[in-house]
Amino acid sequence: MGINQIIEESTVAQIKELFDLDVDRSKIVTQKTNPSFKGDITVVVFPIVKLVKKAPQEIGDQLGQALVNSLTEISAYNVEKGFLNLIVADDYWLNSFYDIRKSDEFGFVSVEGADTVMIEFSSPNTNKPLHLGHVRNNLIGHSVAEIVKASGKKVIKVNLVNDRGIHICKSMLAWQRWGNDETPDSTGKKGDKLVGDYYVRFDKEYKVEIQQLVDGGMDKKQAEKEAPLMLEIQEMLRKWEDGDDATRSLWSMMNGWVYDGFKSTYSRMGVSFDKVYYESETYLLGKEIVEKGLKDSVLVQKDDGSVWSDLSADKLDDKLLLRSDGTSVYMTQDLGTAVQRFQDFSLYSMVYVVGNEQDYHFKVLFMILGKLGYNWAENMVHLSYGMVDLPSGKMKSREGTVVDADDLMEEMVETAKATSEELGKLDSFSDQEATELYEIIGLSALKYFILKVDPQKKMLFDPKESIDFNGNTGPFIQYTHARICSILDKANIAEKNQQEVLIDSDKLHQKERQLIITLSNYPGIIQEAASTFSPALIANYVYELAKDYNQFYQAVSILKEADQTLVEFRVSLSSSVSQVIKSSMRLLGIDVPRRM
RNA sequence: GGUCGAGUAGCUCAGCUGGAUAGAGCAUCUGCCUUCUAAGCAGACGGUCCUAGGUUCGAAUCCUAGCUCGAUCACCA
């Protein structure tokens, strides 16, 4: 039980005792004491004033006295303008610290017998390389999966690759026509980049055709529909759906190139999946479900044969589920895929990491699933994250303003290298060690930069301004960890001994006390981050912890302390901090080096 | 036009289940390396929390309206 809980429960009991009043626990508001006052936890007296009908100061005094008397955890109190500030006993914090030392994976909850959560993220198209938007998606997805796992749920990470459709045919057709049999091997180009080039090429040629038709007097919308290239890719898609050999093999070959490219991007980014779904294998799913829904009169059919879900009761537009020709749409396939996944894996819930441009889609998807009678629909989550904008606005592939994922990672690593060399820190490293370190530092700067922002908010990225390595950044946290490791190495105290260092509470330094308080917040932060799907909470937490440690490091000497017991205590405290830093950073998908 | 989301320091972001004088980092300026890694620490400067009302003992936080920006509303995916 946390200290806030202890205080809240005891406050309820003391109010009963002192004023003979039954107060609901929810009326008791505790918060961290404002740093400009003395204390750790503050009970806000105002909500109680109305019930007790006495002056805030008087209530605060009586309550404070009663809490000090009844709780060994509370050593003193003061009352300031209706705020009862409680000072938590040093012994309580020391004991919390000893508990932390004893726990195996501090803050983590066992997943034994837990519910299973499926998390879908990444979901790229196979017609262009991954860009900054995907980077945010991937990093959030990976991190949320780690966090949810740490919070005590089983997690299955899945990717749904959009490998078919009219947009995929565009790059295929362009390559067929203008490709001259180019391959990744023949050009030395990464497969996803090569295919992406032809996607862009198609668009360019298509625009020329449209312009020609418009110049010839045709309406623009009509021109877009009737341009020869448009007609050709529609024909190509039909062939693909009919299983035409030539089309299918071209498709397989080009998708294969793309997958090779993705593989290296994912690998460098450090994300992976337990299962990869391909839309070419799932796009026909959902029809039976829709037909059953029609039979059960949950859905309606129009005269032309098309099937719809009537959402007017929920003040939304009707949603098409089957076209008049019987073919399905995106929504249909999502319905089918969801149902199949819940059956296959006995899921408790499902999280879709998808940008907020699809808010409406998921709202409707979950609503229709509910209408169709799947009661797990209420456990479905759309983890809707904001777009990454550039100073110039939205990224647009056709205008060449897209920030490429591979380029971005490479630049970060290059910057890490330049910074490290400038600081001259790595002189004792071998070339290979140094190269590995640049990778770890560069990627941490990037990942932390993205993950520290609340997923729900849109974020701004300025390619001209390089991402910082000082202050609230990944490298800063890594640096703190490396400093600790350096001390641990020099201390040369067996981990076993460290676990049992007890000190008198009057020797506890203010900064040590603060560190223990911050450490003991970790389990709560993990739970909160898991329930809100927010890696940003972990990022903010670990930054706080690193800052606290650096203050401690500055304020007291660790190895040069005369009192050997204190040396060992500080080393063990440092060790715990380094473990929690490492653990938090792992939840963010970020490595921490022992030296830097 | 309907719906949804966002507007906090020069910049990037915290804080939002209502609580004390709204916090960090960057940038600018000032100190601290003969002492465990200065990618650090300490300090200064910097605010009509978009605006106007309302609820409340108390509002950046909740409600209403407006302004600005974004997304979305296809027999597209």
Side-chain angles (χ1 to χ4, degrees), chain A residues 408 411-416 418-419 442 445-446 449 461-470 473:
Chain A
L408 182 58
E411 273 170 40
M412 292 309 300
V413 172
E414 285 303 316
T415 310
T419 308
L446 174 62
F449 176 82
F461 177 81
D462 189 344
K464 289 197 295 290
E465 262 179 63
S466 60
I467 293 174
D468 264 306
F469 283 64
N470 299 322
T473 65

Side-chain angles (χ1 to χ4, degrees), chain A residues 251-267:
Chain A
W251 172 75
S252 307
M253 179 179 73
M254 290 183 72
N255 273 350
W257 296 346
V258 173
Y259 297 141
D260 285 343
F262 283 175
K263 195 175 160 196
S264 81
T265 306
Y266 283 141
S267 151

